[in-house]
Amino acid sequence: MDGRLRRLDIKTALSAVADLALPRVCIVCGEFLVPQEKHLCTSCMLDLPETHFASFSHNPMADLLNDKIQRDRDRAGEAPFEGYSYAAALYFYSTSAAYKKISRALKYHRNFAAGAYFAGLLGDSLAASPLYADVDLVVPVPLHWTRRWKRGYNQAEVIGKEVAARLGARLGAAALKRRRRTRSQAKLAAGAKAGNVAGAFSADASVCARHILLIDDVFTTGATLSACHLALRQALGPDVRISVATLAYAGPR
């Protein structure tokens, strides 16, 4: 025990020295972090607007997603019945709140350490819920190869890798492909998002899974995730459960 405490003291001291040389700041408020804090200061962590959606089969995010899935199935001429899909996010997203910087740190500023950290929090919340206990494949929403080449990474895959590890599931980064390059959803009005991604995805029919968890960074209207859901359902048939998880949820509460 004394040896472990000694190693912890040394690690804390080294972290403090590193903070003097290259100070770390809170992603949300910009305050300097102490050695025990990671990415958020204690105050911002305590105020993190968590959704707790992982604990509930029915929640605003899941209801919005399922309504979108059903409308997209009707538009595509698919059979009307679709089982209810679970959906969860770590925190509530608002363009007027500084917590939006969490997902943007990964997507626009290549902060992989922060992305993995918050994805781990999401993964822990999912792992603690019986709704996601049997997830055996985690599938990130794919980027078109030209956008991935330009950015150098897929933020959904960074999140998915950490979530898969927490769930003890496989990461299926190749299970979905984006067949055509689409305009950025963030730049479109809500009504235009569905048409932008309709038919944009294809799924690998050889994928073997019982419960797939689709992963993205932010859930807004559900258009992208619904399009991915439809592609997976068309390729894999009705017996595979498909759920959704994102770092942030920007829809109505």
Side-chain angles (χ1 to χ4, degrees):
M1 179 64 76
D2 290 343
R4 262 187 290 177
L5 289 174
R6 209 171 291 120
R7 286 194 295 273
L8 182 61
D9 289 341
I10 292 172
K11 186 176 180 180
T12 301
L14 290 174
S15 180
V17 171
D19 285 346
L20 288 174
L22 189 64
R24 299 174 303 124
V25 297
C26 174
I27 288 174
V28 171
C29 71
E31 290 292 320
F32 291 119
L33 299 178
V34 301
Q36 294 81 8
E37 295 172 334
K38 292 184 178 180
H39 308 293
L40 292 185
C41 67
T42 300
S43 178
C44 287
M45 179 60 81
L46 289 173
D47 289 337
L48 179 67
E50 294 184 74
T51 69
H52 302 290
F53 285 166
S55 301
F56 305 98
S57 59
H58 287 257
N59 58 62
M61 177 177 170
D63 289 343
L64 183 61
L65 173 68
N66 281 274
D67 180 66
K68 185 74 180 72
I69 287 171
Q70 192 58 62
R71 283 187 282 120
D72 285 351
R73 286 180 64 82
D74 292 342
R75 189 178 299 112
E78 295 291 320
F81 177 76
E82 171 66 37
Y84 191 87
S85 294
Y86 303 143
L90 176 63
Y91 72 98
F92 288 104
Y93 179 101
S94 170
T95 55
S96 62
Y99 285 96
K100 66 187 179 184
K101 296 176 184 178
I102 292 175
S103 58
R104 292 183 176 185
L106 172 61
K107 187 171 184 177
Y108 300 116
H109 304 296
R110 305 179 68 90
N111 193 334
F112 301 118
Y117 176 75
F118 291 106
L121 296 182
L122 172 64
D124 286 342
S125 71
L126 297 169
S129 170
L131 303 176
Y132 303 90
D134 61 343
V135 168
D136 53 343
L137 187 68
V138 173
V139 177
V141 170
L143 294 177
H144 190 264
W145 72 268
T146 56
R147 184 162 283 135
R148 179 172 183 136
W149 176 79
K150 183 178 181 180
R151 184 175 294 170
Y153 64 98
N154 177 6
Q155 68 277 4
E157 191 171 330
V158 175
I159 299 166
K161 182 178 180 180
E162 193 65 35
V163 169
R166 301 301 174 104
L167 291 174
R170 293 173 289 127
L171 180 67
L176 275 173
K177 289 185 178 179
R178 195 179 288 246
R179 296 190 292 195
R180 58 180 173 83
R181 179 163 179 157
T182 57
R183 295 173 62 191
S184 171
Q185 292 286 81
K187 298 177 181 179
L188 297 176
K193 291 183 177 182
N196 185 47
V197 293
F201 301 96
S202 62
D204 181 356
S206 68
V207 166
C208 181
R210 295 165 315 193
H211 189 170
I212 290 174
L213 183 66
L214 270 170
I215 292 285
D216 207 358
D217 55 346
V218 180
F219 182 107
T220 50
T221 65
T224 298
L225 288 158
S226 178
C228 290
H229 186 289
L230 181 61
L232 286 167
R233 180 63 73 220
Q234 289 172 331
L236 304 179
D239 296 330
V240 178
R241 172 172 280 282
I242 304 172
S243 298
V244 163
T246 61
L247 271 188
Y249 168 69
R253 302 193 184 193

